[in-house]
């Protein structure tokens, strides 16, 4: 456990998800007692949340309905938004009620906050004017209240697509290529901001232990790569033929408005992590494939 923390307890919302499960295991292996926050703990009348986080030195907010799980109907868009906003609001309220504040509050966001035109470091304010952009901005605004109201050290991590073999996007990406059914999405020119799961875990550890770290951090690999370049890399590794492309119209039929997430990418760089000397174990897509494509 890092030195200088007030306790060895960490509370994590979204602990049963792909990232949350890995993060809980990682932190427990490194000496933390992990409090896994579940949906019913956030019911305000029960008061359970306040009791569970009362002596935690680290609070990590990963909760949120999966972005790419299903078609973006009106009801699912509401679930995407509310699962993030309401959870974050309750965590910030519970932090406000704590007698001893946590040493750090780490709250997730996504690179979908940025538009698809500029190259974005953490100081960019060129935000997307679509649904996902507005969700991220509202999500972050709720988290920032822990800093402005209670002076808690806050790190907001804007994550790219997290790649690992235990779940998430990689298995869905790789499977078609293994059977000769892989292809680019649309014209393939869209950038694909990604990060290896192990680098996510290392980044959380880094932010927990480095007291000078606060504010926005982009959690993406240093390399920018397009969907077409990914398609070529996967074809080379699997030695299978690929199909021409998935038409944009087909993706929009399957995912509705959510198809834009696959067809429009953000050009994002992890400027702050690189400037502070953080080491990426998987800085490019080839290194990711070396580890994950088996």
């Amino acid at each position: 456990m890092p030195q200088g923390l007030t306790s060895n307890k960490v509370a994590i919302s979204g602990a049963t998800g792909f990232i949350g499960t890995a993060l809980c295991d990682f932190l427990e292996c490194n000496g933390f007692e992990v409090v896994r926050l579940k949906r019913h703990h956030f019911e305000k009348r029960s008061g359970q949340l306040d009791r569970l986080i009362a002596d935690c030195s680290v609070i990590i907010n990963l909760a949120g309905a999966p972005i790419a799980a299903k078609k973006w109907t009106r009801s699912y868009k509401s679930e995407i938004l509310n699962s993030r906003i309401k959870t974050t609001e309750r965590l910030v309220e519970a932090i406000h009620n704590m007698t001893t504040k946590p040493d750090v509050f780490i709250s997730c966001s996504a690179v979908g906050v940025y538009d698809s035109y500029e190259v974005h470091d953490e100081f960019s304010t060129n935000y997307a004017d679509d649904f996902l952009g507005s969700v991220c901005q509202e999500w972050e605004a709720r988290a920032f209240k822990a800093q402005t109201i209670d002076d808690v050290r806050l790190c907001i991590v804007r994550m790219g697509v997290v790649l690992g073999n235990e779940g998430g996007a990689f298995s869905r990406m790789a499977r078609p290529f293994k059977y000769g059914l892989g292809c680019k999405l649309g014209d393939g020119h869209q950038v694909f901001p990604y990060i290896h799961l192990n680098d996510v875990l290392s980044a959380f550890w880094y932010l927990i232990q480095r007291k000078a770290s606060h504010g926005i951090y982009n959690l993406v690999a240093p390399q920018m790569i397009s969907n077409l370049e990914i398609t070529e890399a996967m074809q080379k590794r699997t030695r299978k033929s690929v199909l021409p492309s998935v038409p944009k119209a087909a993706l929009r039929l399957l995912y509705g408005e959510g198809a834009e997430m696959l067809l429009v990418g953000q050009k994002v760089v992890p400027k702050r992590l690189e400037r502070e000397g953080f080491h990426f174990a998987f800085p490019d897509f080839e290194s990711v494939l070396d580890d994950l494509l088996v």
Side-chain angles (χ1 to χ4, degrees):
M1 186 185 80
Q3 295 181 347
L5 297 178
T6 54
S7 78
N8 72 332
K9 290 184 70 173
V10 54
I12 301 179
S13 69
T16 60
F18 165 53
I19 301 169
T21 299
L23 184 59
C24 288
D25 292 344
F26 174 80
L27 292 175
E28 286 176 334
C29 287
N30 283 279
F32 277 98
E33 177 185 346
V34 176
V35 178
R36 292 166 169 83
L37 301 176
K38 300 178 181 179
R39 188 173 300 178
H40 68 271
H41 294 150
F42 287 83
E43 295 174 1
K44 193 169 183 178
R45 289 175 296 176
S46 71
Q48 288 187 80
L49 184 61
D50 290 30
R51 293 192 296 271
L52 286 169
I53 73 169
D55 55 352
C56 291
S57 65
V58 180
I59 298 175
I60 299 174
N61 180 23
L62 300 174
I67 296 293
K70 57 178 76 172
K71 188 172 183 177
W72 284 9
T73 60
R74 180 179 297 178
S75 62
Y76 195 62
K77 285 172 68 176
S78 178
E79 183 178 348
I80 289 171
L81 175 64
N82 290 330
S83 62
R84 287 162 172 78
I85 300 304
K86 293 182 178 180
T87 299
T88 305
E89 287 178 340
R90 282 291 292 119
L91 276 174
V92 169
E93 181 182 3
I95 289 170
H96 180 67
N97 294 337
M98 293 172 72
T99 302
T100 302
K101 305 303 181 190
D103 295 305
V104 62
F105 176 35
I106 302 176
S107 192
C108 281
S109 183
V111 296
V113 72
Y114 299 120
D115 70 28
S116 60
Y117 308 110
E118 309 294 332
V119 175
H120 303 281
D121 61 23
E122 291 86 349
F123 305 98
S124 172
T125 56
N126 294 307
Y127 297 141
D129 60 359
D130 56 13
F131 170 70
L132 191 54
S134 66
V135 168
C136 291
Q137 290 177 67
E138 290 192 50
W139 195 7
E140 294 178 9
R142 298 323 194 268
F144 265 116
K145 291 183 179 180
Q147 176 180 289
T148 57
I149 296 173
D150 291 300
D151 198 29
V152 172
R153 180 165 73 91
L154 171 69
C155 296
I156 290 181
V157 290
R158 292 173 173 168
M159 288 200 283
V161 180
V162 180
L163 303 179
N165 273 332
E166 297 78 18
F170 187 76
S171 61
R172 298 195 299 270
M173 291 170 55
R175 190 178 298 114
F177 287 93
K178 293 179 179 180
Y179 295 99
L181 300 173
C183 59
K184 64 184 179 180
L185 304 179
D187 60 21
H189 294 158
Q190 65 273 29
V191 174
F192 181 72
Y194 68 93
I195 185 169
H196 192 291
L197 176 62
N198 287 357
D199 281 333
V200 171
L201 303 181
S202 296
F204 274 98
W205 184 257
Y206 172 84
L207 295 174
I208 288 170
Q209 67 180 343
R210 188 175 184 273
K211 293 184 178 181
S213 294
H214 63 90
I216 305 294
Y217 283 85
N218 290 336
L219 262 59
V220 294
Q223 179 200 34
M224 276 193 280
I225 190 170
S226 70
N227 175 259
L228 176 58
E229 290 169 320
I230 285 176
T231 301
E232 292 170 345
M234 296 290 282
Q235 179 186 20
K236 181 178 178 181
R237 291 298 186 101
T238 59
R239 298 180 180 179
K240 300 284 187 178
S241 59
V242 295
L243 301 176
S245 69
V246 179
K248 294 180 180 180
L251 289 171
R252 290 180 176 128
L253 182 64
L254 286 171
Y255 293 102
E257 185 183 343
E260 297 308 303
M261 179 182 59
L262 303 174
L263 295 169
V264 178
Q266 299 80 21
K267 307 176 186 74
V268 184
V269 293
K271 182 175 182 177
R272 293 193 66 193
L273 285 175
E274 289 191 301
R275 188 177 63 188
E276 294 172 12
F278 176 81
H279 171 70
F280 285 89
F282 302 92
D284 53 48
F285 197 70
E286 289 295 332
S287 62
V288 171
L289 292 182
D290 287 341
D291 185 61
L292 298 183
L293 195 59
V294 293

